[in-house]
Amino acid sequence: MNYIVLDLEWNQCPYGKGRENKKLPFEIIEIGAVKLNEKREIVDSFQQIVKPCVYRKLHFRTKEILDIDVATLEKGMPFAKAAKQFMKWCGSDVKFCTWGCSDLVELQRNLKYYRMINLLKGPVFYYDVQKLFGLFYEGEKTSRSLEYAIDFLCMGKEGEFHRALNDAYYTAEILQKIPEAFVQEHYSIDCYQNPKARGEEIYRVFENYSKYISREFYSKEEAMEDREVTKTKCFLCGQTARKKIRWFSLNPKSHLCLAYCPEHGYFKGKARIKKTDEGKYYVVRTLKQIEEEEADLIRQKKEELRKKRRLKRHSEKAQGEEAGTPVKKTGTKRKKRA
């Protein structure tokens, strides 16, 4: 088994979102990767400039970040050919590693656009080195820049940032500094190719939380009405953790709940609703063991949301009365006594 440390550079529509290709908002223009063996020793590298065909002009942000010009890109290799060469170079028994979660998503989206998604079967289990760095060195999941991590670890800067192969090398060197056992315990799951049916759903248990990735649903409402999605099972003993606060909406994409296991205490449930390119929905639900203090914060959040919604209803009612709109009465009328 080998590790493939991947970094991509991409361009976007130079004329704004209104004119972008919705199926390909980000077009890959450079692939850089480093291969490590089982001992995490660097054994090979891959680099390829990709000739764009969707966005031939560079977006101004791309120009600012990347030291690359249109003339260089025009000499590049078409994506379909570059992708085939890259996947062949990777080999069959590999684990991908990236700085952050974006690269694998965009690789799959570009593959899908060119009808080549079969080259990389998903969901993809991988190692997010950005997350690993935050957890191991700072004690929490952070979104530090690659340059920040290099400075933090007092590593030398031998090449410019924001070029695919250089960034892949930097990422590989950071990975080498994190203990192997820690890396293996904190893998990530990319669900751009999400589960389609119940039999494909994913359930995994980590050190202090569990993760469940659902099948597809036609609507957000259908997803949050599903018993499997809203289930809160203690991942330590397998018993049902009874809900102290039922699932409530933080925003259109995120729901929260508070559950309690008599043996293992409080758990925070979080359900994030994801939308596929085809307009369907699936849920990533995590259940994390928490202390009483964090349970109180969830109670406070629920109460604050309740107050905000009550104030909003009162405000709408008052505005309706000022505008002369009849206010609909609720409830039943009492019968007059005979």
Side-chain angles (χ1 to χ4, degrees):
M1 191 274 290
N2 292 318
Y3 297 92
I4 302 297
V5 182
L6 169 69
D7 190 86
L8 303 172
E9 304 297 343
W10 53 72
N11 188 28
Q12 62 193 85
C13 181
Y15 309 109
K17 282 191 170 291
R19 293 175 61 183
E20 75 175 11
N21 186 319
K22 300 302 179 184
K23 293 183 179 180
L24 194 69
F26 301 104
E27 182 177 23
I28 293 172
I29 56 176
E30 186 178 19
I31 302 172
V34 175
K35 183 181 291 185
L36 289 75
N37 61 20
E38 289 187 348
K39 296 179 181 179
R40 297 196 296 172
E41 300 167 330
I42 296 175
V43 294
D44 203 0
S45 64
F46 180 96
Q47 191 273 339
Q48 181 59 56
I49 296 292
V50 179
K51 181 179 180 178
C53 73
V54 178
Y55 307 122
R56 306 294 287 270
K57 181 180 177 181
L58 288 174
H59 188 275
F60 75 93
R61 289 297 302 276
T62 308
K63 288 181 181 177
E64 289 177 357
I65 295 172
L66 302 184
D67 182 20
I68 197 168
D69 55 35
V70 173
T72 302
L73 293 177
E74 286 298 319
K75 297 176 184 176
M77 184 181 291
F79 177 80
K81 186 176 180 180
K84 287 179 182 177
Q85 287 192 6
F86 172 64
M87 295 307 297
K88 183 178 180 181
W89 173 83
C90 288
S92 57
D93 189 10
V94 300
K95 289 288 186 183
F96 284 99
C97 310
T98 61
W99 188 263
C101 59
S102 300
D103 291 83
L104 275 174
V105 171
E106 299 312 325
L107 175 60
Q108 291 172 89
R109 183 174 279 127
N110 277 250
L111 287 170
K112 184 178 180 180
Y113 182 82
Y114 286 97
R115 300 180 181 179
M116 301 170 64
I117 194 67
N118 60 302
L119 291 180
L120 182 57
K121 182 176 173 55
V124 181
F125 288 68
Y126 72 106
Y127 300 108
D128 181 345
V129 184
Q130 183 186 58
K131 182 181 82 172
L132 292 170
F133 168 81
L135 291 173
F136 186 75
Y137 288 106
E138 301 185 311
E140 60 181 337
K141 183 179 176 181
T142 59
S143 298
R144 301 295 192 183
S145 70
L146 186 57
E147 188 169 6
Y148 171 93
I150 295 296
D151 289 338
F152 182 94
L153 296 172
C154 300
M155 296 165 59
K157 298 178 183 178
E158 298 180 0
E160 60 183 316
F161 289 91
H162 303 299
R163 286 305 299 265
L165 185 56
N166 289 343
D167 286 358
Y169 266 108
Y170 285 133
T171 304
E173 290 169 359
I174 294 170
L175 177 67
Q176 290 173 323
K177 293 183 176 294
I178 302 173
E180 174 70 12
F182 188 88
V183 172
Q184 297 297 333
E185 289 173 5
H186 296 87
Y187 62 88
S188 298
I189 307 172
D190 176 84
C191 283
Y192 178 78
Q193 298 179 66
N194 58 287
K196 307 297 182 185
R198 188 178 291 278
E200 299 174 0
E201 292 179 329
I202 297 170
Y203 181 77
R204 292 289 186 276
V205 175
F206 297 89
E207 185 179 3
N208 65 342
Y209 73 98
S210 64
K211 176 177 282 189
Y212 160 80
I213 304 169
S214 79
R215 65 192 187 283
E216 289 183 345
F217 297 92
Y218 287 103
S219 68
K220 299 176 186 178
E221 293 74 20
E222 182 188 4
M224 291 309 299
E225 288 171 1
D226 185 80
R227 289 187 177 182
E228 193 65 31
V229 168
T230 57
K231 182 188 292 185
T232 50
K233 183 175 74 173
C234 175
F235 54 85
L236 297 171
C237 65
Q239 300 300 312
T240 297
R242 295 190 177 277
K243 296 181 186 68
K244 294 294 184 180
I245 296 178
R246 294 187 175 277
W247 291 99
F248 63 97
S249 174
L250 290 173
N251 54 60
K253 295 182 180 180
S254 186
H255 290 69
L256 206 63
C257 83
L258 178 65
Y260 183 79
C261 170
E263 185 175 350
H264 296 103
Y266 286 104
F267 291 86
K268 177 177 75 174
K270 188 170 185 179
R272 289 169 293 162
I273 302 175
K274 306 284 188 177
K275 190 174 183 180
T276 69
D277 288 348
E278 291 72 34
K280 293 185 179 179
Y281 299 88
Y282 67 97
V283 177
V284 178
R285 184 202 69 212
T286 55
L287 197 66
K288 182 180 180 181
Q289 191 177 26
I290 59 173
E291 299 295 335
E292 177 74 40
E293 293 78 11
E294 194 168 352
D296 286 338
L297 291 175
I298 295 174
R299 294 188 184 99
Q300 291 173 23
K301 192 168 292 186
K302 171 68 173 178
E303 181 61 19
E304 287 170 3
L305 283 171
R306 189 186 68 81
K307 289 179 179 178
K308 285 181 181 178
R309 286 167 183 163
R310 185 174 62 184
L311 287 170
K312 185 179 178 181
R313 287 196 299 271
H314 287 328
S315 175
E316 289 173 348
K317 181 180 178 181
Q319 288 175 7
E321 289 174 346
E322 288 177 6
T325 305
V327 179
K328 185 178 180 181
K329 294 182 179 180
T330 58
T332 57
K333 294 181 179 179
R334 292 184 179 180
K335 293 183 178 179
K336 292 182 179 179
R337 291 185 180 180

